[in-house]
């Protein structure tokens, strides 16, 4: 890890990182969530702070400890809509957004305002869900020329094809493609492939999420100075 020890290359930069899973309420006591641990996003936030950046970590459900660092501001959001509002607000004053959060794709068409009760006659329950807004796409659409937007792509199959599609459809500068068919959730290690708008594809070997975080930020920094 030492060879990655950089000076404060991200000094004067403000970086927003999202981490963990969003929760979409079903009723006052239940929600739809996902298996994201928050480890990757938190590693990125920590690495960015070590490299001198001012960091805003916007997080949902996480199963690992949050960083305690004076350079990292922490903001909790629950639903994808709350996360979108917060990300948009903060991105207006920032240089980079890294969307490592696992954002829900669906939410309740209408959240029940009372706890849904079981009925004796009721063997099944149908929930009507509607699509959430795509935070990455919304933000990338309105970004300024100097701003950089990085997304992830979680895939179980056709990794490159699907990741390329996300790169173009979402308008991100970089996509970090991640094979989630082997359980990466909560793991310390990961294997990612970086895709850029110019068509470059970099397949990285399996490494710890901490090292991936550092390498990704060095990559982002080079990208900003090219
Ligand atoms: N993302 C987002 N807002 C959403 C859904 C996803 O900003 N409502 C972001 C994620 O944080 C990630 C990227 O989009 O950086 C890709 O997420 P992923 O779940 O892999 O792709 P989706 O576009 O949601 O498509 P699918 O889940 O169907 O593969
Ligand atoms: Ca998704």
């Amino acid at each position: 890890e030492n060879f990655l020890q950089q000076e404060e290359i991200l000094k004067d930069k403000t970086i927003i990182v999202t981490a963990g899973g969003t929760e979409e309420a079903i009723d006052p006591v239940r929600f739809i969530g996902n298996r994201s641990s928050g480890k990757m996003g938190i590693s990125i936030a920590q690495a960015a702070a070590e490299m001198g950046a001012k960091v805003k970590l916007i997080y949902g459900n996480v199963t690992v400890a949050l960083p305690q660092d004076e350079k990292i501001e922490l903001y909790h959001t629950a639903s994808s809509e709350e996360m979108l509002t917060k990300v948009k607000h903060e991105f207006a004053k920032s240089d980079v957004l890294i969307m490592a959060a696992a954002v829900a794709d669906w939410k309740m068409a209408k959240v029940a305002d009372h706890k849904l009760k079981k009925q004796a006659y009721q063997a099944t329950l149908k929930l009507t869900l509607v699509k959430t807004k795509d935070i990455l796409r919304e933000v990338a659409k309105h970004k300024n020329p100097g701003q950089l937007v990085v997304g992830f792509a979680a895939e179980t199959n056709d990794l490159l094809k699907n990741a390329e599609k996300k790169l173009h459809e979402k308008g991100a500068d970089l996509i970090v493609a991640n094979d989630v068919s082997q359980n990466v959730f909560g793991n310390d290690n990961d294997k990612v492939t970086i895709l850029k708008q110019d068509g470059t594809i970099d397949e990285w070997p399996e490494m710890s999420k901490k090292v991936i975080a550092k390498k990704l930020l060095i990559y982002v920094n080079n990208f900003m100075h090219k």
Side-chain angles (χ1 to χ4, degrees):
E1 251 175 78
N2 273 342
F3 73 100
L4 289 169
Q5 215 49 267
Q6 301 274 316
E7 299 126 69
E8 300 208 318
I9 55 171
L10 295 174
K11 202 169 182 293
D12 305 324
K13 299 286 181 214
T14 302
I15 300 190
I16 303 176
V17 184
T18 65
T22 59
E23 25 181 278
E24 301 301 335
I26 295 172
D27 66 16
V29 298
R30 305 181 177 97
F31 64 83
I32 301 169
N34 61 67
R35 290 190 206 279
S36 172
S37 65
K39 224 173 233 181
M40 181 59 95
I42 288 169
S43 296
I44 294 169
Q46 249 153 353
E50 278 167 30
M51 293 182 188
K54 179 176 179 192
V55 181
K56 300 184 180 192
L57 178 62
I58 301 173
Y59 65 97
N61 257 341
V62 297
T63 59
V64 295
L66 289 166
Q68 309 266 332
D69 187 314
E70 58 178 12
K71 299 203 66 104
I72 307 178
E73 285 173 22
L74 299 172
Y75 302 100
H76 177 258
T77 56
S79 68
S80 57
E81 205 168 319
E82 258 183 67
M83 187 175 274
L84 172 65
T85 305
K86 188 65 187 162
V87 167
K88 265 189 176 166
H89 180 77
E90 295 300 334
F91 190 63
K93 321 170 260 183
S94 304
D95 302 291
V96 181
L97 168 66
I98 303 180
M99 278 298 302
V103 183
D105 296 323
W106 305 95
K107 63 175 181 179
M108 290 285 280
K110 194 181 175 313
V111 178
D113 49 14
H114 300 293
K115 183 181 172 192
L116 299 176
K117 300 298 288 179
K118 286 177 289 190
Q119 307 291 348
Y121 58 83
Q122 188 182 32
T124 61
L125 171 69
K126 280 188 183 162
L127 300 178
T128 303
L129 305 179
V130 294
K131 269 209 187 107
T132 58
K133 284 195 187 132
D134 194 303
I135 301 173
L136 189 59
R137 182 187 289 183
E138 287 282 304
V139 170
K141 203 161 59 186
H142 298 114
K143 78 185 175 88
N144 295 323
Q147 290 181 306
L148 202 78
V149 173
V150 179
F152 278 71
E155 309 296 344
T156 57
N157 54 281
D158 300 314
L159 180 85
L160 285 182
K161 189 169 146 265
N162 287 324
E164 246 158 29
K165 196 160 168 250
K166 285 177 189 172
L167 178 73
H168 295 119
E169 285 181 355
K170 293 169 188 269
D173 298 287
L174 292 182
I175 287 281
V176 182
N178 203 334
D179 182 344
V180 292
S181 61
Q182 326 296 337
N183 62 13
V184 301
F185 300 105
N187 265 10
D188 285 333
N189 281 10
D190 205 349
K191 191 183 170 314
V192 301
T193 301
I194 313 288
L195 294 90
K196 282 199 286 185
Q197 283 288 350
D198 67 4
T200 325
I201 295 173
D202 273 340
E203 192 181 336
W204 290 354
E206 182 177 330
M207 296 179 279
S208 73
K209 288 180 179 173
K210 282 187 178 159
V211 172
I212 292 174
K214 285 188 185 178
K215 280 181 63 101
L216 179 64
L217 288 161
I218 293 168
Y219 213 92
V220 162
N221 181 58
N222 291 338
F223 206 87
M224 284 190 290
H225 292 105
K226 76 161 198 278

